[in-house]
């Protein structure tokens, strides 16, 4: 073989080797990129900055009750939704376990009623009140509704997981675990969010509308509203096992000293107990003060048939606490973004109305967004969605006001006038008929009428004054009666003021009310 032939043969072999080597390198790179894309939800990284490639119509931050229900609702309407939730494992909370009948009706309206199935949820048909050895049963006025309509109580985490499964079953809803650190803002408009995914990558994702539903601990609400969070009390939570309630399929409220105690069944074998402790701190768990408080102060005040199970549960030591937050809805409309759920509006959980408010808000928002094909005109959309804050008021303000007012009325007080108001409320509800049906229909979310709430609240006050003045008035009793009316006003009027008098009672006077009739025309 000549030198030229040898050189040509070696050269051909080298070229062949390089070609084969390049083929396998490129194939491996493509495989790696494809694998990376599936982990980071189709992200591209340029100069160290990662950005989501498949931008959505709507970004939902948080997959709790509000976030999961909203994602399913918007996805069912054809929107491309990306949900970013900090932790997709089943949550374990001591609240969010009671859904009022009004909330269940909203669940039906959203097509999510099957989320309370197969989780050992219990039907709830009303309440039982206990005070100083007396008790009265209050039933929901459900006669006009289908037999399936009632309240539901359940393990919060099971309900949430069913909602998440329902949302992620839609092909245009993407549920991803990640921690949102901030909103992306350009010239006063929210364009999307920055979040860290499971692998620790910091990613930017964009959408014409971002809805923040990241709960009571929201770190984003400060950008979208003026938060005024109050912590009136804390809940101490226990689970009583293999115990019977005095009235099965009813929530139980004990008007104890210093504040109410709640019992309701969350499964066929478990009863949730929530002990309200006024203030922002509870007795110490570590040194046994909380256990002593529960056994020596609380236990003697609960129905006798549950005392043994209550003390046994305390002795087991599985006691949890959480602060109860209250925050009126004080938004400042921001183009490209919206707040919902507990990130936006909270009330004392005594009446179990939080999920009803959230689901009602979703129905309002869904109806507002339905006629819009294009969400990209952020300023027109923001102007249009201002009507949301007024249209939500009948349900939200009624439940919020009732929760705040009932908590103050049901709590013990050294003030004689407040004691009379508390006694009058118990006796008024015990009268039955319209005297109990009206307040219970408000509490259950079946009659979201703020004026009806005010009428019944002051009817209780007048009833209390009448009890004081009959059969023979005295100067002392007249003075207590005057203070009772004054105290009632001091309870309810500040809550109404925080909710907004015009939005609550005269929504037609609010200019934004009429914007719902004229959605942006751009398509």
């Amino acid at each position: 073989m000549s030198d030229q032939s040898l050189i040509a043969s070696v050269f051909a072999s080298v070229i062949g080797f390089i070609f084969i080597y390049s083929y396998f390198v490129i194939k491996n790179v493509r495989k790696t990129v494809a694998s990376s894309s599936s982990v980071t939800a189709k992200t591209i990284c340029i100069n160290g900055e990662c950005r989501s490639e498949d931008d959505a119509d709507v970004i939902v931050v948080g997959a709790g009750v509000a976030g999961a229900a909203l994602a399913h609702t918007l996805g069912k309407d054809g929107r491309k939704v990306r949900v970013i939730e900090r932790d997709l494992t089943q949550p374990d909370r001591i609240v969010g376990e009671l859904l009022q009948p009004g909330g269940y009706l909203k669940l039906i309206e959203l097509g999510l009623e099957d989320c309370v199935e197969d989780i050992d949820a219990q039907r709830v048909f009303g309440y039982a009140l206990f005070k100083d050895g007396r008790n009265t049963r209050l039933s929901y006025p459900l006669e006009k509704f289908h037999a399936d309509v009632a309240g539901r109580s359940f393990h919060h985490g099971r309900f949430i997981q069913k909602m998440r499964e329902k949302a992620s079953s839609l092909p245009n809803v993407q549920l991803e675990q990640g921690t949102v650190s901030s909103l992306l803002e350009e010239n006063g408009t929210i364009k999307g969010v920055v979040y860290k995914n499971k692998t620790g990558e910091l990613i930017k994702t964009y959408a014409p509308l971002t809805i923040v539903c990241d709960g009571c601990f929201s770190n984003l609400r400060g950008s979208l509203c003026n938060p005024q969070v109050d912590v009136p009390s804390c809940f101490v939570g226990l689970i009583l096992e293999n115990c019977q309630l005095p009235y099965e399929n009813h929530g139980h409220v004990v008007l104890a000293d210093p504040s109410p105690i709640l019992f309701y069944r969350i499964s066929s074998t478990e009863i949730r107990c929530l002990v309200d402790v006024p203030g922002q701190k509870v007795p110490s768990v570590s040194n046994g003060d909380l256990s002593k408080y529960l056994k020596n102060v609380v236990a003697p005040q609960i129905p006798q048939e549950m005392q043994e199970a209550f003390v046994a549960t305390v002795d087991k030591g599985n006691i949890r606490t959480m602060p109860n937050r209250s925050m009126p809805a004080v938004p400042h409309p921001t183009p490209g973004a919206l707040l919902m759920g507990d990130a936006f509006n909270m009330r004392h959980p005594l009446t179990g109305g939080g999920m009803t408010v959230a689901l009602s808000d979703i129905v309002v928002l869904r109806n507002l967004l339905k006629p819009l094909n294009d969400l990209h005109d952020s300023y027109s959309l923001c102007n249009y969605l201002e009507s949301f804050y007024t249209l939500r008021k009948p349900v939200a303000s009624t439940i919020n006001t009732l929760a705040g007012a009932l908590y103050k009325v049901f709590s013990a007080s050294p003030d004689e006038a407040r004691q009379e108001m508390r006694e009058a409320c118990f006796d008024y509800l015990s009268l039955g008929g319209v005297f109990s049906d009206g307040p219970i229909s408000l509490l259950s979310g079946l009659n979201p009428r703020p004026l009806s709430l005010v009428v019944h609240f002051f009817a209780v006050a007048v009833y209390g004054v009448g009890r004081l003045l009959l059969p023979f008035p005295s100067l002392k009793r007249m003075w207590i009666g005057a203070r009772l009316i004054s105290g009632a006003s001091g309870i309810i009027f500040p809550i109404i003021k925080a909710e907004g008098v015009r939005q609550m009672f005269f929504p037609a006077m609010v200019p934004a009310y009429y914007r719902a009739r004229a959605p942006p025309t751009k398509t």
Side-chain angles (χ1 to χ4, degrees), residues 16 18 31 84 171 173 200 214 219 229 299 324 352-353 411 415 463 482 502:
I18 291 173
K31 185 176 179 181
I84 304 169
V173 175
D214 56 345
N219 65 329
V229 181
N324 294 323
S411 296
D415 180 28
Y463 176 76
R502 277 204 309 168

Side-chain angles (χ1 to χ4, degrees), residues 92-97 235-237 264 272 274 320-322:
D92 183 16
R93 297 179 61 193
I94 64 173
V95 293
E97 298 172 317
F235 267 160
V236 176
Y264 50 89
R272 167 65 72 196
L274 294 172
R320 301 175 60 188
T321 66
M322 68 159 288

Side-chain angles (χ1 to χ4, degrees), residues 192-490:
V193 299
V194 179
Y195 72 101
K196 187 177 287 187
N197 67 8
K198 281 200 301 184
T199 61
E201 287 180 292
L202 206 60
I203 300 170
K204 293 181 179 179
T205 186
Y206 296 83
L209 180 61
T210 299
I211 303 177
V212 176
C213 313
D214 56 345
C216 61
F217 299 105
S218 173
N219 65 329
L220 302 177
R221 68 159 65 100
S223 305
L224 303 172
C225 77
N226 302 309
Q228 300 167 18
V229 181
D230 180 35
V231 182
S233 66
C234 297
F235 267 160
V236 176
L238 307 95
I239 292 181
L240 281 58
E241 296 181 338
N242 301 313
C243 170
Q244 295 298 311
L245 288 167
Y247 297 97
E248 286 294 345
N249 299 109
H250 285 69
H252 290 55
V253 183
V254 181
L255 305 190
D257 187 355
S259 52
I261 305 163
L262 307 180
F263 294 92
Y264 50 89
R265 190 171 288 283
I266 57 173
S267 77
S268 52
T269 60
E270 299 164 302
I271 294 170
R272 167 65 72 196
C273 172
L274 294 172
V275 179
D276 186 86
V277 179
Q280 299 184 11
K281 291 184 178 180
V282 300
S284 173
V285 177
S286 58
N287 64 11
D289 284 350
L290 181 57
S291 178
K292 291 176 185 176
Y293 175 82
L294 293 173
K295 289 197 283 189
N296 299 334
V297 177
V298 176
Q301 300 187 73
I302 68 176
Q304 191 170 3
E305 53 263 56
M306 292 193 290
Q307 288 182 9
E308 185 178 341
F310 180 86
V311 172
T313 303
V314 173
D315 287 337
K316 286 180 182 177
N318 188 15
I319 304 170
R320 301 175 60 188
T321 66
M322 68 159 288
N324 294 323
R325 292 173 170 81
S326 176
M327 186 185 76
V330 189
H332 49 78
T334 305
L338 203 66
L339 270 172
M340 293 195 76
D342 282 351
F344 173 49
N345 185 202
M346 293 180 281
R347 75 291 309 149
H348 194 284
L350 171 68
T351 59
M355 290 189 288
T356 300
V357 172
L359 294 170
S360 175
D361 283 355
I362 291 168
V363 171
V364 172
L365 183 62
R366 177 200 64 181
N367 294 340
L368 284 172
L369 292 179
K370 233 172 188 176
L372 305 182
N373 295 323
D374 184 10
L375 304 178
H376 283 85
D377 188 347
S378 57
Y379 286 96
S380 296
L381 180 63
C382 178
N383 189 51
Y384 170 66
L385 289 182
E386 274 194 63
S387 59
F388 166 77
Y389 301 117
T390 302
L391 295 173
R392 68 181 294 273
K393 279 293 177 180
V395 174
S397 61
T398 300
I399 291 174
N400 293 346
T401 304
L402 184 63
L406 272 186
Y407 177 69
K408 291 183 178 179
V409 171
F410 281 177
S411 296
S413 171
D415 180 28
E416 199 170 356
R418 285 280 297 274
Q419 291 176 23
E420 286 292 336
M421 182 71 176
R422 191 185 193 210
E423 186 73 26
C425 187
F426 181 88
D427 289 346
Y428 181 89
L429 292 170
S430 300
L431 292 172
V434 67
F435 303 103
S436 64
D437 285 354
I440 292 300
S441 65
L442 290 164
L443 183 148
S444 62
L446 297 172
N447 177 29
R449 296 178 183 173
L451 186 58
S452 179
L453 166 60
V454 173
V455 168
H456 278 287
F457 188 80
F458 281 102
V460 171
V462 171
Y463 176 76
V465 172
R467 284 162 23 106
L468 285 167
L469 300 183
L470 294 175
F472 302 107
S474 66
L475 285 176
K476 180 182 178 182
R477 285 173 171 266
M478 290 172 66
W479 172 240
I480 294 173
R483 285 172 46 218
L484 193 157
I485 294 292
S486 174
S489 301

